[in-house]
Amino acid sequence: MSAQKGANGMDHPLDERREMARTLNAPGAKPDPSLRISRRTFLHKSLVTTGVTAGAATYGWWPLMNLVDLAWGQTAFRFAWLSDTHLYPKTVNTRFVEKAVRAVTEIKAMNPPADFLIFGGDLAQLGDPVELDLGAEILKEITIKKVFIPGEHDWYLDMGAKWNGLFGQSPWSFDHKGVRFVGLDTVSRAADFWTAKKMTPKDRMGHMSVLDGTLGGAWAGVGLDQLQWLQSNLANWPKNRPVVVFSHNPLYEYYPPWNFWVRDWREVQEVLKPYTNVTNIHGHVHQVLYNEIGTMRSMGMLATSWPWPYAPEGVPVLTKCHLRADPGDHFDGVGWSQLTMSAANKMETEYMMWRKKDHIVADTPWDSGCGDNANQPLTPRIADREWTYPGGHK
Ligand SMILES: [Fe+2]
Ligand SMILES: [Fe+2]
């Protein structure tokens, strides 16, 4: 991939500057006429340089610069997303602590400051109170408004007791400058696989802490009570005003065997369908990810801990996959995100990926693992195969 210097002085690969305009006009899912989306992919040198890693330029990336008309957006503002720090106690290792601290330092350096920080779950690795306290201590450095949703790694040692005590319960919502923000808990709904097996809380957490754990099953879900809450929460919100929904897991079916979905995503879509400008921002996947279903856009955020590989199938066709990370550099391919609502009523997603290379995205599928079997149109096939048939696999 060749790079050139753009008119704005930013480095970017020429072939990433492509227009991906798309009009959301599927039958029954027609967006508000004021909603127009076009996306461009380019690389730039970040304005945020903290000097935390000497000699390494900090790169950010707008892989998908979402130019979304937000007719109701009133004022320009930015917020920061941080998630999937997967902290171990310092006595075990400090690698993940270093990366969480670096992200916190960079978020504090945002100028102008972010209006708020959303922490998107998986603060801890094994739900250990020592890990959660350590995370709270690190995040205390950030003094702007902070909101939290849990990840499965925060939850299954004590079923959320410590998490809720430190950070409060989900779901929640607030309105900010013409946008309704909603935080959902998508992790606490696992079916009870532990009681019958007489598992200890540590055993339970252990099973939930692996990506493809078979005992945990299809644990990611919103649940009827939260669906009802969401519906009534949005009832007083005009249908064409922007709604941003934060969740740990993506609110659609990407790859169920790794819980890269919520199992009741159809019901979630049903509740959100009347709203013509919905953005879902989620963690858990630890990778650059983009999808659109109806009038909802979904954006997967980076982890600070490690990048997961792309799933062997089901990667949304709209995703521009990022390069495989350098296994010798644990700061490679990870980071945090800035999300901007601009004065021109545009929304921009900027991945603050710590990468020393000049380019972030893969120009060949095998450079990202987003290859032959992936990047396919979404269908219900994976879930139907894995979960729907009571007699086992079809
Ligand atoms: Fe995670
Ligand atoms: Fe997770």
Side-chain angles (χ1 to χ4, degrees):
M1 185 189 295
S2 62
Q4 71 168 24
K5 192 77 83 175
N8 55 7
M10 295 172 178
D11 293 323
H12 59 80
L14 180 62
D15 61 0
E16 296 308 325
R17 292 186 62 86
R18 61 194 180 99
E19 187 64 29
M20 293 174 68
R22 173 184 166 91
T23 305
L24 300 175
N25 58 0
K30 201 164 177 59
D32 184 87
S34 70
L35 178 68
R36 296 195 312 274
I37 298 177
S38 65
R39 289 177 284 119
R40 289 180 299 167
T41 302
F42 62 93
L43 181 69
H44 75 110
K45 207 163 217 175
S46 171
L47 299 174
V48 180
T49 49
T50 63
V52 172
T53 301
T58 300
Y59 283 92
W61 179 43
W62 282 278
L64 303 159
M65 184 168 178
N66 296 299
L67 305 177
V68 182
D69 280 1
L70 293 168
W72 300 92
Q74 293 165 354
T75 321
F77 68 95
R78 285 195 300 180
F79 59 97
W81 168 285
L82 174 61
S83 73
D84 297 280
T85 49
H86 290 267
L87 298 171
Y88 287 86
K90 278 182 181 169
T91 48
V92 177
N93 81 57
T94 54
R95 162 184 291 206
F96 301 114
V97 174
E98 287 163 19
K99 294 192 277 190
V101 168
R102 175 172 177 175
V104 164
T105 306
E106 292 179 358
I107 291 165
K108 281 170 64 184
M110 283 174 68
N111 186 18
D115 279 17
F116 64 90
L117 168 76
I118 162 72
F119 188 89
D122 285 353
L123 180 62
Q125 172 60 10
L126 292 170
D128 185 331
V130 174
E131 298 168 349
L132 290 167
D133 281 333
L134 174 61
E137 194 63 31
I138 292 168
L139 292 171
K140 207 186 283 177
E141 289 289 308
I142 297 177
T143 53
I144 54 172
K145 174 188 172 84
K146 290 178 289 235
V147 289
F148 296 82
I149 51 173
E152 76 280 12
H153 288 254
D154 304 313
W155 197 267
Y156 281 92
L157 186 66
D158 62 6
M159 305 307 283
K162 178 74 177 176
W163 174 272
N164 284 344
L166 283 171
F167 306 120
Q169 293 186 329
S170 306
W172 44 256
S173 79
F174 64 91
D175 298 343
H176 185 70
K177 296 180 179 171
V179 180
R180 175 150 297 180
F181 288 93
V182 173
L184 297 178
D185 155 25
T186 56
V187 301
S188 69
R189 312 303 169 112
D192 181 353
F193 61 84
W194 50 87
T195 303
K197 292 182 165 23
K198 296 190 167 54
M199 287 185 171
T200 65
K202 271 192 172 169
D203 289 340
R204 178 179 58 208
M205 183 68 250
H207 281 285
M208 292 298 293
S209 70
V210 287
L211 189 62
D212 54 356
T214 49
L215 284 182
W219 54 259
V222 173
L224 191 56
D225 56 326
Q226 272 191 118
L227 284 166
Q228 287 168 344
W229 174 89
L230 184 61
Q231 190 155 33
S232 66
N233 181 276
L234 293 176
N236 68 352
W237 192 246
K239 302 283 187 287
N240 56 356
R241 287 200 193 187
V243 177
V244 175
V245 183
F246 297 121
S247 56
H248 184 65
N249 304 75
L251 296 178
Y252 63 95
E253 182 201 325
Y254 165 13
Y255 193 64
W258 296 349
N259 279 281
F260 284 8
W261 76 333
V262 287
R263 61 188 176 227
D264 44 5
W265 64 270
R266 289 178 182 83
E267 286 81 357
V268 177
Q269 301 294 331
E270 217 38 50
V271 170
L272 294 174
K273 202 159 79 175
Y275 301 89
T276 56
N277 189 349
V278 180
T279 306
N280 169 220
I281 300 167
H282 66 85
H284 188 61
V285 297
H286 300 201
Q287 63 195 226
V288 169
L289 199 66
Y290 184 83
N291 196 23
E292 294 172 0
I293 297 179
T295 53
M296 186 182 85
R297 298 163 295 281
S298 288
M299 303 172 195
M301 299 287 108
L302 302 176
T304 58
S305 51
W306 61 78
W308 283 125
Y310 284 96
E313 57 182 318
V315 181
V317 287
L318 295 170
T319 293
K320 187 74 181 168
C321 297
H322 71 253
L323 282 164
R324 288 180 198 273
D326 175 356
D329 176 5
H330 68 262
F331 280 91
D332 191 46
V334 295
W336 55 286
S337 289
Q338 293 182 20
L339 296 115
T340 304
M341 297 277 183
S342 76
N345 295 330
K346 311 290 186 190
M347 182 173 177
E348 300 166 3
T349 307
E350 183 181 359
Y351 289 99
M352 307 306 295
M353 188 187 282
W354 302 323
R355 179 154 262 184
K356 293 171 193 161
K357 300 180 181 75
D358 270 351
H359 47 270
I360 305 292
V361 294
D363 55 359
T364 52
W366 45 88
D367 286 341
S368 65
C370 185
D372 298 339
N373 296 323
N375 234 358
Q376 300 162 351
L378 280 175
T379 76
R381 68 200 182 285
I382 306 171
D384 289 349
R385 198 165 63 231
E386 297 291 327
W387 310 110
T388 306
Y389 300 99
H393 290 207
K394 202 179 178 188

